[in-house]
């Protein structure tokens, strides 16, 4: 028989900037499959550089690390796999909620929070926020090269999404997200009440620096 019991884990995250009463924007950015937070967060360095006192970027790292090829060499991290997926979803949500409390305790009450998920990080962000919706929502959710999972409880989705600004972004050459899927995702989120904005850029399954800076500039 299979059994489960909780254990303590040490989670790792990377941070650009220092939280203070002067912090105006907090970005929580969730990496994709096989990435590490220390490299992923570098994409956001220009945002912090443009507003070094007011903007802080935090990149939590998935709890499951592995060698990307064989048994040595480069290491990546994953938020979850299909093995014991429900327990992993609960663990990642508990981790991100604890991190949110830790970070917001150091922020002023009016801080604007953007949650951005890239690739696998979009599903992680969406599932986590759906569990949080009864008590907390970010000011904006950015789903970049990924989706809002169809298996999220509809009641939780309808708590989270009404009037929530949701930004969908995808490269026009993304090998995983085809144009019809991208458009269907936008339509589904609008049906659930989200305030959806969409962007496409010339490129593949990657982040896009100028578009990140544009998103940063649109927050108060």
């Amino acid at each position: 028989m299979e059994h489960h019991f909780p254990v303590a884990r040490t989670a790792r995250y990377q941070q650009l900037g220092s939280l203070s009463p002067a912090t105006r924007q907090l970005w929580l950015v969730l990496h994709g499959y096989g990435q590490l937070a220390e490299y992923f967060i570098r994409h956001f360095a220009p945002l912090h550089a443009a507003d070094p006192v007011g903007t802080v970027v935090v990149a939590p790292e998935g709890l499951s690390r592995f060698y990307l090829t064989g048994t040595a060499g480069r290491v990546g991290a994953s938020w979850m796999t299909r093995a014991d997926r429900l327990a992993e979803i609960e663990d990642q949500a508990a981790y991100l909620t604890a991190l949110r409390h830790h970070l917001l305790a150091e922020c002023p009450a009016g801080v604007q929070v953007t949650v951005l998920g890239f690739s696998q990080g979009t599903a992680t962000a969406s599932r986590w926020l759906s569990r949080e919706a009864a008590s907390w929502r970010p000011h904006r959710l950015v789903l970049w090269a990924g989706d809002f999972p169809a298996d999220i409880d509809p009641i939780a989705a309808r708590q989270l999404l009404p009037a929530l600004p949701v930004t969908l972004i995808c490269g026009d050459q993304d090998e995983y997200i085809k144009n019809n899927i991208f458009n269907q995702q936008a339509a589904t989120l609008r049906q659930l009440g989200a305030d959806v904005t969409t962007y496409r850029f010339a490129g593949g399954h990657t982040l896009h620096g100028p578009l990140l800076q544009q998103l940063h500039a649109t927050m108060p």
Side-chain angles (χ1 to χ4, degrees):
M1 296 179 62
E2 182 175 85
H3 301 276
H4 294 82
F5 71 100
V7 298
R9 282 291 307 268
T10 299
R12 180 168 70 171
Y13 67 93
Q14 302 289 326
Q15 182 169 318
L16 294 172
S18 299
L19 296 168
S20 75
T23 303
R24 297 183 301 105
Q25 289 196 46
L26 172 62
W27 285 56
L28 294 174
V29 297
L30 278 62
H31 63 78
Y33 178 80
Q35 298 180 313
L36 291 179
E38 64 183 292
Y39 301 112
F40 184 66
I41 201 170
R42 295 178 184 178
H43 293 281
F44 301 87
L47 279 59
H48 172 63
D51 182 24
V53 175
T55 297
V56 175
V57 182
V58 172
E61 189 168 275
L63 294 174
S64 299
R65 300 184 191 93
F66 57 96
Y67 291 113
L68 295 175
T69 304
T71 58
R74 291 180 57 206
V75 173
S78 170
W79 291 101
M80 61 169 290
T81 65
R82 67 172 180 265
D84 205 15
R85 64 185 299 276
L86 295 181
E88 291 213 337
I89 289 171
E90 293 300 327
D91 285 347
Q92 68 189 227
Y95 160 30
L96 293 171
T97 295
L99 179 60
R100 172 180 71 82
H101 285 296
H102 172 71
L103 297 171
L104 291 184
E106 302 297 323
C107 292
V111 67
Q112 302 286 300
V113 181
T114 293
V115 174
L116 180 149
F118 171 73
S119 192
Q120 189 192 44
T122 63
T124 301
S126 299
R127 291 187 174 110
W128 166 51
L129 292 176
S130 294
R131 284 162 167 73
E132 288 271 275
S135 58
W136 180 81
R137 300 196 312 171
H139 294 83
R140 176 174 59 182
L141 172 61
V142 180
L143 302 178
W144 196 306
D147 62 4
F148 189 88
D151 62 1
I152 288 178
D153 178 70
I155 295 175
R158 291 191 180 278
Q159 282 187 309
L160 171 67
L161 292 172
L164 177 69
V166 177
T167 304
L168 290 180
I169 304 175
C170 186
D172 59 7
Q173 300 299 315
D174 194 303
E175 59 268 39
Y176 300 105
I177 312 294
K178 303 305 180 185
N179 191 58
N180 63 322
I181 296 174
F182 182 80
N183 292 335
Q184 180 58 53
Q185 180 71 186
T188 298
L189 288 168
R190 289 189 177 107
Q191 289 171 0
L192 290 168
D195 179 11
V196 179
T197 303
T198 61
Y199 293 95
R200 304 300 296 269
F201 63 92
H205 195 69
T206 184
L207 294 170
H208 184 262
L211 190 47
L212 277 175
Q213 294 177 55
Q214 181 179 336
L215 293 177
H216 180 240
T218 59
M219 289 295 278

